[in-house]
Amino acid sequence: MQQLQSYLEQNKDRFLEELLDLLRIPSVSADPAFAKDVRKTAEFIQQKLNEAGADNVELFETDGHPIVYGEKIVGEGLPTVLVYGHYDVQPADPYELWDSEPFNPVVKDGKIYARGACDDKGQMYMHLKAFEAMMHEASLPCNVKFLIEGEEEVGSDNLEPFLEKYADKLACDIVLVSDTSMISNEIPSVTVGLRGIACVEVEVTGANRDLHSGVYGGGVANPINVLSDMIASLMDENKHITIPGFYDNVVEVSAIDRAAMAETPFDLSEYKNDLDIDDIQGEAGYSTLERTSIRPTLDVNGMWGGYTGEGFKTVLPSKAYAKISMRLVPNQTSDEITALFKKHFESIAPPSVKVEVKPHHGGEPAVTPTDSIAYQAASAACEHTFGRKPIPTRGGGSIPIVSLFKHILNADTILLGFGLDSDAIHSPNEHYGLFNYYKGIETIPYFYDELVKRS
Ligand code: BES
Ligand code: MN
Ligand code: MN
């Protein structure tokens, strides 16, 4: 480990330069205009895996963006870690809210500012550099397989069939992912649960054309008003979701586990300060940490219709739209919740409008055990580099492929993330601390070591 640490120290600057190069390629998976750049990013990863010493590095074509694979098999009887990450990023809009350009990374106050700096290029690239170091020092103690995809931010649709098709190739004892956050730079944590997600788009249609809001206003349904009413009715005064059956399969977390969660450090005034809000809100009877991890939610992600251009245009729009996502917890499933939403939403539409509900992508929740060898290895690894044991936490975000790793590969996932909730992922001025980048690279080899020791 001594030699490894000095290799990391000596190559620090290059590790950063390479990440900045990676961040310069705008791999926005959602927008076809960036398809060439997405591919360039896959090729970048492919090249770096090769340079680091991985074998059988290959770019697999899919119906969408390519998947990068590489491996190093050092011994038959040794454990195999499948490292998963994603090289695609969210769109950078709105560009005008960035203090520097999203795809021209800058390092300021010890942080790298760029789209993807934390989610997930920065976190994923730590694994390549840790691997490079272990290869260079001939200290890779077990087998590693890399699976780096380019469609996580759009639902990983092509990864499921890939897992099915290549289940033998991807066979592993544990999946290792850095794509979540920890409590703070002083208090490490390992994420042991992720929420699922169900995404739907709704369209409400009133009259067959936009109407003069003076001539028809008051007499004909305004789809935006109607849609607002309908959305407002989806939650009651306790911020409880009103869709019949919505909570039927929700597993209530035990009082013991809730008491443990209540011990997790959380500073409400810091939370409010960071977001510049005077108060929080949420489901009655649950803490903020609970509301954002073990409870399901329903949120409008976007809503549009009518005239939003310069000045004013007095119309009753013909149509109104919204994109709505619901975060799910065990044992809700995205198909079941999507169906319940559709049925309910159609049922509450007044006869003055027509409603269409279009299901989008979804993903299932996942919970990983803490009594496993792999969890203990992650815990010991953090103890080496942070000087204290990590706290197990349930995350609020979704990584849909994690539940499929369990179902298709029969492998649990260790979510060893080094980001912070304040890193502004998916937002303008996304950033990732240099401390976090280097700490991750330093911690990962300990995970391998501790895993092998315990296997
Ligand atoms: N890395 C995030 C998920 C995440 C972030 C989990 C922070 C826990 C803490 C991931 O890239 C992501 O954004 N996932 C999407 C999934 C969706 C597009 C299907 C999400 O959660 O919205
Ligand atoms: Mn991510
Ligand atoms: Mn993301």
Side-chain angles (χ1 to χ4, degrees), residues 202-207 209-211 213 220-233 300 302-309 312-324 345 349-350 352-355:
V202 299
E203 180 184 312
V204 177
T205 307
R209 59 183 189 276
D210 285 2
L211 304 173
S213 69
V220 177
N222 178 330
I224 300 182
N225 293 23
V226 172
L227 178 57
S228 304
D229 285 345
M230 290 171 73
I231 288 170
S233 78
V300 180
M303 199 170 165
W304 69 103
Y307 183 73
T308 57
F312 237 88
K313 180 180 167 193
T314 45
V315 285
L316 291 188
S318 164
K319 286 182 184 287
Y321 305 84
K323 288 184 194 276
I324 297 171
F345 208 72
S352 53
V353 298
K354 298 176 192 73
V355 165

Side-chain angles (χ1 to χ4, degrees), residues 52 93 108 117 164 257 306 373:
D93 319 58
K108 208 174 70 185
E164 303 270 8
D257 287 351
I373 289 176

Side-chain angles (χ1 to χ4, degrees), residues 84 177 194 366 368 399-407 411 413 415:
Y84 164 82
V177 179
L194 291 166
T368 63
I399 308 177
I401 204 65
V402 170
S403 93
L404 295 173
F405 285 140
K406 183 69 187 171
H407 289 116
T413 298
L415 296 157

